[in-house]
């Protein structure tokens, strides 16, 4: 519980901005990698390849941010847990709902800010991230986080490329058994440009440079985006 002490205001409330600053600190990145956490190791390899080959910095939330569930547990143990007379601990249902909503809102807001700060989003389209069972409408996901990230990337206005390049140039840089909850969200993959690993390999043939901005522009031109 000591970890929460520095976020408590004089009136007993928690300061959201301080929590976000510590747990979800934004970092400078070129690409936001939207993915299923079941594909985390593969996504780390992709990020390593892009960094090593092209100097491109990728954002993977689980690699740079405190695990949101750890923050949630800290808050729940302080504000939502109570003890029965026999010594058993339980969590109050309504308070747990509120605490989860707060932590997820902080995380979702931080994800939105990172997507807005990166000039490009790669969606890692695998069976772990997209449900392929519905033949007529295969673009569904069981991940609310993927749903939210793609919603931000495809439905909300994005800045012009020059906005992300300001100041940068090529030269300077529980106790009960229960059914598992799953909710399927419609996602708009059709609004994304298809990208394959072969497209990434083509970037180095033109300039053979590790300048991330030049390499990203080569990728955009190869895909007809600029």
């Amino acid at each position: 519980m000591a970890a929460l002490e520095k976020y408590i205001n004089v009136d007993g409330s928690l300061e959201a901005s301080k929590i976000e600053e510590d747990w979800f600190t934004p970092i400078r990145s070129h690409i936001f990698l939207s993915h299923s956490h079941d594909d985390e190791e593969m996504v780390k390899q992709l990020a390593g390849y892009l960094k090593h080959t092209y100097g491109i910095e990728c954002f993977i939330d689980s690699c740079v941010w405190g695990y949101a569930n750890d923050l949630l547990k800290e808050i729940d143990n302080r504000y939502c847990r109570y003890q029965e007379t026999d010594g058993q601990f339980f969590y109050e249902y309504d308070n747990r709902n509120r605490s989860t909503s707060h932590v997820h809102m902080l995380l979702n807001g931080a994800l939105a800010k990172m997507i807005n700060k990166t000039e490009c989003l790669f969606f890692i389209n695998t069976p772990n991230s997209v449900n392929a069972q519905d033949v007529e409408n295969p673009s569904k996901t069981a991940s609310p986080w993927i749903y939210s990230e793609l919603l931000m990337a495809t439905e909300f206005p994005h800045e012009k490329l020059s906005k992300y390049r300001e100041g940068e140039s090529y030269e300077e840089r529980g106790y009960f058994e229960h059914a598992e909850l799953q909710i399927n969200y419609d996602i708009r993959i059709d609004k994304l440009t298809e990208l394959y690993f072969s497209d990434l390999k083509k970037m180095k043939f033109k300039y053979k440079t590790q300048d991330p901005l030049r390499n990203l522009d080569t990728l955009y031109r190869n895909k007809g985006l600029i």
Side-chain angles (χ1 to χ4, degrees):
M1 296 185 191
L4 293 179
E5 297 299 328
K6 59 181 177 179
Y7 308 128
I8 299 178
N9 295 316
V10 292
D11 62 357
S13 64
L14 294 177
E15 186 59 48
S17 60
K18 293 180 181 178
I19 295 175
E20 183 177 340
E21 181 180 348
D22 281 355
W23 287 78
F24 311 119
T25 306
I27 64 170
R28 179 71 177 174
S29 301
H30 301 103
I31 297 175
F32 185 104
L33 295 179
S34 178
H35 65 286
S36 165
H37 283 279
D38 291 334
D39 294 323
E40 184 173 349
E41 289 307 312
M42 180 265 287
V43 170
K44 288 179 181 179
Q45 293 178 28
L46 173 61
Y49 170 82
L50 291 171
K51 173 62 176 175
H52 176 76
T53 309
Y54 303 114
I56 295 173
E57 298 283 355
C58 295
F59 178 79
I60 305 174
D61 57 355
S62 57
C63 292
V64 296
W65 285 349
Y67 193 44
N69 283 351
D70 292 340
L71 171 61
L72 181 58
K73 188 173 182 179
E74 291 272 356
I75 294 175
D76 286 345
N77 285 340
R78 185 181 185 102
Y79 295 99
C80 307
R81 191 172 74 164
Y82 69 92
Q83 185 175 357
E84 294 280 13
T85 54
D86 58 3
Q88 292 191 71
F89 288 96
F90 295 91
Y91 291 94
E92 205 280 323
Y93 179 78
D94 289 332
N95 285 341
R96 273 284 290 118
N97 282 346
R98 281 192 287 272
S99 65
T100 301
S101 296
H102 282 299
V103 172
H104 285 180
M105 184 60 69
L106 282 168
L107 174 57
N108 204 49
L111 288 171
K113 292 176 184 178
M114 275 306 306
I115 290 173
N116 191 50
K117 287 178 180 292
T118 53
E119 68 176 62
C120 182
L121 178 143
F122 282 10
F123 172 58
I124 312 304
N125 186 349
T126 73
N128 289 324
S129 56
V130 173
N131 300 342
Q133 300 170 348
D134 188 344
V135 177
E136 294 184 359
N137 185 13
S139 299
K140 289 184 180 293
T141 183
S143 167
W145 300 110
I146 288 177
Y147 166 72
S148 178
E149 289 165 6
L150 292 186
L151 186 68
M152 297 168 194
T154 61
E155 301 297 332
F156 297 165
H158 210 54
E159 299 284 357
K160 292 182 178 180
L161 185 58
S162 58
K163 176 70 175 180
Y164 300 97
R165 303 289 178 86
E166 288 180 356
E168 271 197 280
S169 67
Y170 292 139
E171 289 74 29
E172 47 183 298
R173 306 291 105 198
Y175 297 101
F176 305 98
E177 291 187 3
H178 54 78
E180 181 181 356
L181 175 64
Q182 177 171 307
I183 301 174
N184 286 327
Y185 300 86
D186 290 328
I187 51 179
R188 295 298 306 274
I189 297 177
D190 58 303
K191 287 195 171 186
L192 304 177
T193 300
E194 285 192 354
L195 186 67
Y196 299 92
F197 189 69
S198 58
D199 295 314
L200 301 180
K201 294 176 69 175
K202 289 177 184 177
M203 282 194 286
K204 63 183 176 183
F205 295 143
K206 190 166 185 180
Y207 293 110
K208 294 184 179 179
T209 176
Q210 275 204 318
D211 187 297
L213 303 186
R214 189 183 297 276
N215 285 320
L216 283 170
D217 281 349
T218 300
L219 175 65
Y220 300 154
R221 289 192 189 96
N222 288 346
K223 302 303 291 186
L225 298 175
I226 59 174

